[in-house]
Amino acid sequence: MSLTIQQIITDAKKLAGRLKEQDSIAGSLLTETHAISKKIDAMKQFQEEVDQLNEVANQKPHSQLIANIQKENRHLREIQQENRELRSALEDYHITLEHIMSKYRAHTQEQIYKSKVDYKALQNQRYQYIIQQQADKIQEMAAIMQKAAMMDEDKELRFEEIVSQLKAENQGLRELLALSKRLDATNMEDKNLQTES
């Protein structure tokens, strides 16, 4: 059984075709290997950058920073609720004070009408005693009014202090939130750059 030249050429063509197929398969495997290698390098670089960001954030992971911000947000909402309650209590206090003052005015007018006396009879000791009593009552009521006014001013000063503290805390929280957003934006840009590459 001798091989003819035609058979040798046909076998050589088949072998050449198979070599070309295997060469193209090897080329595609090599390309895929380079792509996977690049992805691994990008993932290593991403992990290094995340580690650096964690070091910058005082060794706190991103999730812990978000948890802290959420905790501060809850605290801020509690403070705002307390602020609303204080405002409501202050309004109630003003309404109560107005009610007391109107009762005081009505009582004072009533006492003034009751205490009208004949000026000629003022020489009488009895009328002088009544006038002294009325003067003492008026002084007592004036002292009560002055004390109520001072309490109102103290309450307003405390309210203003709380408002200024809330503003300062709110500003700090806004800065933390802005920092968190910048970190998120940086992470997203890094991920986008890695996926594009």
Side-chain angles (χ1 to χ4, degrees):
M1 299 195 165
S2 63
L3 292 175
T4 63
I5 296 179
Q6 187 66 28
Q7 286 177 337
I8 293 173
I9 292 173
T10 306
D11 287 342
K13 283 182 182 178
K14 285 181 184 176
L15 286 174
R18 286 184 194 161
L19 282 174
K20 283 183 183 179
E21 287 176 12
Q22 288 178 358
D23 189 42
S24 65
I25 290 171
S28 65
L29 286 175
L30 188 61
T31 305
E32 287 179 21
T33 305
H34 284 302
I36 290 171
S37 176
K38 284 182 182 179
K39 285 182 182 178
I40 290 172
D41 289 341
M43 290 170 81
K44 285 181 182 176
Q45 184 179 1
F46 176 73
Q47 185 60 42
E48 289 173 2
E49 289 175 0
V50 167
D51 291 341
Q52 287 176 354
L53 285 175
N54 285 340
E55 285 179 27
V56 169
N58 293 327
Q59 304 299 331
K60 293 180 182 176
H62 184 66
S63 59
Q64 188 176 359
L65 287 174
I66 290 173
N68 286 342
I69 290 171
Q70 289 173 345
K71 182 180 175 185
E72 288 297 324
N73 283 341
R74 281 193 297 273
H75 183 64
L76 181 62
R77 282 192 291 274
E78 289 172 4
I79 290 173
Q80 287 171 341
Q81 178 61 31
E82 185 180 335
N83 191 8
R84 284 190 288 271
E85 290 172 3
L86 284 173
R87 205 173 276 137
S88 174
L90 185 62
E91 288 173 6
D92 290 345
Y93 176 77
H94 280 296
I95 290 168
T96 305
L97 187 61
E98 283 297 322
H99 183 69
I100 290 171
M101 292 305 294
S102 65
K103 290 275 188 182
Y104 168 75
R105 289 184 196 104
H107 179 71
T108 305
Q109 282 184 337
E110 184 181 325
Q111 291 299 321
I112 288 172
Y113 286 129
K114 284 181 182 178
S115 67
K116 284 189 176 179
V117 292
D118 185 9
Y119 287 107
K120 292 179 182 177
L122 284 179
Q123 300 298 323
N124 191 327
Q125 186 71 20
R126 182 172 166 233
Y127 290 123
Q128 288 179 355
Y129 177 73
I130 291 172
I131 290 171
Q132 185 61 41
Q133 273 187 327
Q134 292 298 320
D136 291 342
K137 285 182 182 179
I138 289 171
Q139 286 179 351
E140 183 180 333
M141 291 301 267
I144 290 171
M145 285 176 55
Q146 186 176 11
K147 186 174 182 180
M150 287 175 62
M151 287 173 62
D152 187 36
E153 288 176 9
D154 289 343
K155 192 102 174 180
E156 286 182 12
L157 285 173
R158 274 187 259 126
F159 178 73
E160 289 175 6
E161 284 179 11
I162 289 171
V163 168
S164 66
Q165 287 175 353
L166 287 174
K167 284 181 181 177
E169 286 182 16
N170 189 10
Q171 181 63 32
L173 289 174
R174 286 176 190 258
E175 290 173 2
L176 281 174
L177 186 59
L179 176 64
S180 174
K181 284 181 180 178
R182 275 189 259 133
L183 284 173
D184 284 343
T186 304
N187 286 341
M188 289 302 292
E189 287 175 7
D190 290 343
K191 286 179 183 177
N192 289 337
L193 285 175
Q194 290 170 2
T195 55
E196 288 174 4
S197 63

